[in-house]
Amino acid sequence: MAVDARSGRILAVGEDDEVRRSGGRDAELVDLRGRTMLPGFIDAHIHLLATAYRAHYIDAAECASEEAVAELVRQRAAQTPPGQWIQGGRWYKDAWPGQRFPSKAALDAAAPGHPVALWSKDGHLLWVNSLALQRAGIDAQTPDPANGAILRDSSGEPNGVLQEEEATNLVYRVIDKSDPVLTHHLVRRSLTDLLRAGITTIHDIEGSDALELFQQLRAEDELGVRVQMILPRQALPELQSLGLRAGFGDDMLRLAGIKIFADGTLGSQTAAMLAGFEGNPGNRGILAIPEATMMEAVSTASELGLSIAIHAIGDRAVQVALNSIERAQQRLSDANQQWVLARLRYRVEHAQLVAPEDLERMRRLGVVASVQPFHAVADRDMAERYWGRRARRAYAYRTMQEMGIPLALGSDAPVETFDPLNILYAAIQRNDPATPERAAWMPEQALPITQALWGYTLGAAYAGGEERDKGSLVPGKLGDAVILREDLLAIESEKLRENGVAATIVGGRIMYGEL
Ligand SMILES: [Zn+2]
């Protein structure tokens, strides 16, 4: 492959001689010594700011005792400038010996010079240390709020646990949540992690705070990874008043469109279902938005030239999403706006359970299934518990692919890992790489490696309306590539995850590793 150094685009691909000729006399030659070059991975669904924060937050979910959590805090304190907040959570006292509430004493010993605030797993309790209480102005004289409690020791001193929103808010409101220096630092670190994993483009589903930061990093030439922005539906009026369309921006940072939530999640049983959840027939989940409002938003966005990504997990949510998409497409073609339609992408995010007739409709309407194969293997027990027999039709990636529905693969980080090799493993093995001893889950829905790779490259590029610029190594496209130590198509799939990324190239520049 020859890449033009100035434009960052591919000049030639093919036989050595031909490539050498297009590179010209001054070209720098690199021998990959038998390693494999693929188009850079495109993660079609990620929340990068949240991923950056998550990496920084303490995750106490696996801690078996109060002391174990305190130990994590002690380690974090050693790397954190004094006075800065240490945050995190997911602690679960019912998994600890004695099931007792924790106290500020353990955190004071671990991090005397840092305010600490740790949420319980269910988010209803906040465990803090003395410095955090002091910053919030809470002491023995502070009365309990009307709908909440400040737990106390026998002498009336707050003991470090706050119960329910009105009490937890007393501390939460004084936490420095938007430290720009910290955020900048964390996001840069996560961008480096993406490059290390071979990712050259992300579709970031976040709001104006992320967009602003990406613009700043773009201006400083520190972005490194290309970003397509998918903004919340609530941004529609601003986008409309400015007249911004999909594609606005440049090769590093580009506006794609908006995201609409059609329903909730499987785990919380808020996914919108055509029939009730297993064992709970009265509960059909919830639509996160009235159908009329969704129709209006999808039509408005379409007419403005903005692509639309609809989060839909349950089969009723997918149905409602497709109703809106079908209507919007019809309106555009009635108005002779086919040229707008050709540039727009309609995507259903997750598409975890889809009625058979709606799969057919997705194909007919050209709707992209933006799926995260790691969810299939992480959610398998939950899907069987809440969906019963219906789970056999869930996460039906192979069926979709064979029907001709375009697939775009992604991670949904920070919910799951963003490592493409782990995700590809999940896609082709229908198994969690952490539990290889389990039988594959519905292996008939496993994707062939070539199709999984397509979804991570050209399919994801198509979902972003960038298939002319990205997703394959052909002349004229951007020189975005990943160098793997071995050929993914040749190695056994069990070894796939060990096949590390040797280098990541963006626009012809080596952004990670060495050649
Ligand atoms: Zn997501």
Side-chain angles (χ1 to χ4, degrees), residues 45-47 205 259 311 350 375 412-413 415:
H45 186 129
I46 191 170
H47 313 279
I205 305 182
K259 156 109 176 258
H311 164 115
H350 313 307
H375 281 322
D412 205 8
V415 181

Side-chain angles (χ1 to χ4, degrees), residues 405-489:
I405 296 168
L407 291 182
L409 267 51
S411 65
D412 205 8
V415 181
E416 303 291 353
T417 171
F418 59 69
D419 179 1
L421 295 179
N422 268 299
I423 294 167
L424 286 170
Y425 178 96
I428 65 175
Q429 295 284 59
R430 292 290 281 201
N431 217 341
D432 186 336
T435 54
E437 70 283 1
R438 282 192 85 172
W441 191 52
M442 298 192 305
E444 63 280 8
Q445 290 297 344
L447 287 172
I449 179 71
T450 46
Q451 297 301 333
L453 279 175
W454 190 90
Y456 239 120
T457 52
L458 204 48
Y462 176 80
E466 295 189 306
E467 69 279 6
R468 284 178 293 191
D469 289 316
K470 297 177 182 172
S472 56
L473 301 175
V474 297
K477 287 200 182 186
L478 294 164
D480 297 352
V482 54
I483 314 290
L484 296 171
R485 296 208 181 92
E486 285 178 81
D487 183 356
L488 277 190
L489 303 182

Side-chain angles (χ1 to χ4, degrees), residues 202-222:
I202 55 169
H203 296 182
D204 190 67
I205 305 182
E206 282 180 321
S208 59
D209 47 351
L211 178 57
E212 195 185 337
L213 185 60
F214 291 147
Q215 289 179 82
Q216 192 188 335
L217 290 162
R218 162 83 187 80
E220 296 163 351
D221 199 19
E222 297 275 7

Side-chain angles (χ1 to χ4, degrees), residues 54-188:
R54 177 70 179 270
H56 177 70
Y57 282 174
I58 286 184
D59 184 354
E62 304 297 325
C63 291
S65 66
E66 182 178 357
E67 296 73 41
V69 184
E71 181 51 36
L72 289 182
V73 171
R74 188 188 320 276
Q75 291 164 13
R76 183 56 53 90
Q79 312 158 7
T80 308
Q84 251 184 34
W85 284 86
I86 292 176
Q87 297 180 67
R90 302 217 295 158
W91 54 272
Y92 185 53
K93 74 172 174 58
D94 295 294
W96 300 346
Q99 284 105 42
R100 277 187 304 272
F101 283 109
S103 84
K104 64 182 178 184
L107 299 181
D108 286 345
H114 301 78
V116 181
L118 304 172
W119 292 97
S120 61
K121 192 175 171 201
D122 65 7
H124 290 257
L125 303 170
L126 191 60
W127 174 22
V128 300
N129 67 350
S130 294
L131 192 51
L133 288 168
Q134 197 187 315
R135 292 253 180 117
I138 300 173
D139 58 26
Q141 275 69 53
T142 311
D144 279 344
N147 303 298
I150 300 166
L151 302 192
R152 299 164 200 269
D153 63 20
S154 51
S155 65
E157 267 300 314
N159 73 358
V161 175
L162 307 167
Q163 244 173 351
E164 297 304 331
E165 200 176 338
E166 286 182 22
T168 58
N169 261 343
L170 296 174
V171 169
Y172 187 65
R173 66 185 162 81
V174 301
I175 296 178
D176 188 2
K177 286 179 285 286
S178 58
D179 176 344
V181 178
L182 177 68
T183 307
H184 192 273
H185 165 78
L186 294 176
V187 167
R188 275 194 56 191

Side-chain angles (χ1 to χ4, degrees), residues 181-417:
V181 178
L182 177 68
T183 307
H184 192 273
H185 165 78
L186 294 176
V187 167
R188 275 194 56 191
R189 201 164 63 182
S190 288
L191 288 164
T192 308
D193 291 342
L194 294 176
L195 289 167
R196 204 185 293 273
I199 296 167
T200 54
T201 291
I202 55 169
H203 296 182
D204 190 67
I205 305 182
E206 282 180 321
S208 59
D209 47 351
L211 178 57
E212 195 185 337
L213 185 60
F214 291 147
Q215 289 179 82
Q216 192 188 335
L217 290 162
R218 162 83 187 80
E220 296 163 351
D221 199 19
E222 297 275 7
L223 201 48
V225 177
R226 303 186 198 274
V227 179
Q228 278 229 325
M229 248 358 256
I230 301 176
L231 295 166
R233 167 175 74 92
Q234 288 72 13
L236 204 46
E238 279 91 353
L239 294 170
Q240 181 165 23
S241 69
L242 289 168
L244 294 181
R245 306 176 77 94
F248 178 77
D250 62 19
D251 290 340
M252 286 311 298
L253 178 57
R254 207 181 276 293
L255 176 65
I258 59 157
K259 156 109 176 258
I260 300 176
F261 276 94
D263 66 350
T265 65
L266 172 59
S268 59
Q269 296 179 64
T270 48
M273 307 301 303
L274 291 170
F277 285 97
E278 196 70 7
N280 188 2
N283 179 13
R284 296 205 299 137
I286 51 160
L287 278 181
I289 175 175
E291 183 162 2
T293 314
M294 163 127 62
M295 260 187 194
E296 198 45 50
V298 175
S299 284
T300 305
S302 300
E303 280 152 24
L304 293 171
L306 293 163
S307 289
I308 294 124
I310 305 179
H311 164 115
I313 291 196
D315 47 9
R316 183 159 59 111
V318 175
Q319 187 180 74
V320 166
L322 294 177
N323 293 346
S324 292
I325 291 169
E326 191 162 16
R327 165 79 72 87
Q329 291 187 349
Q330 191 59 51
R331 272 169 63 164
L332 277 179
S333 70
D334 288 350
N336 277 322
Q337 300 279 299
Q338 280 86 351
W339 63 278
V340 178
L341 263 182
R343 293 306 310 267
L344 289 190
R345 295 293 175 267
Y346 294 89
R347 11 194 309 185
V348 172
E349 305 301 311
H350 313 307
Q352 287 174 2
L353 189 66
V354 185
E357 62 273 21
D358 282 331
L359 280 175
E360 178 49 34
R361 202 150 57 124
M362 283 181 79
R363 186 201 58 75
R364 182 164 52 80
L365 301 176
V367 174
V368 174
S370 169
V371 296
Q372 303 77 37
F374 213 91
H375 281 322
V377 298
D379 296 359
R380 57 191 281 183
D381 298 326
M382 213 160 58
E384 284 177 3
R385 187 170 343 126
Y386 296 134
W387 284 342
R389 288 177 57 85
R390 284 168 289 182
R392 293 190 203 165
R393 296 190 284 107
Y395 310 84
Y397 309 148
R398 185 71 192 267
T399 302
M400 291 172 171
Q401 178 257 318
E402 285 181 340
M403 287 177 71
I405 296 168
L407 291 182
L409 267 51
S411 65
D412 205 8
V415 181
E416 303 291 353
T417 171

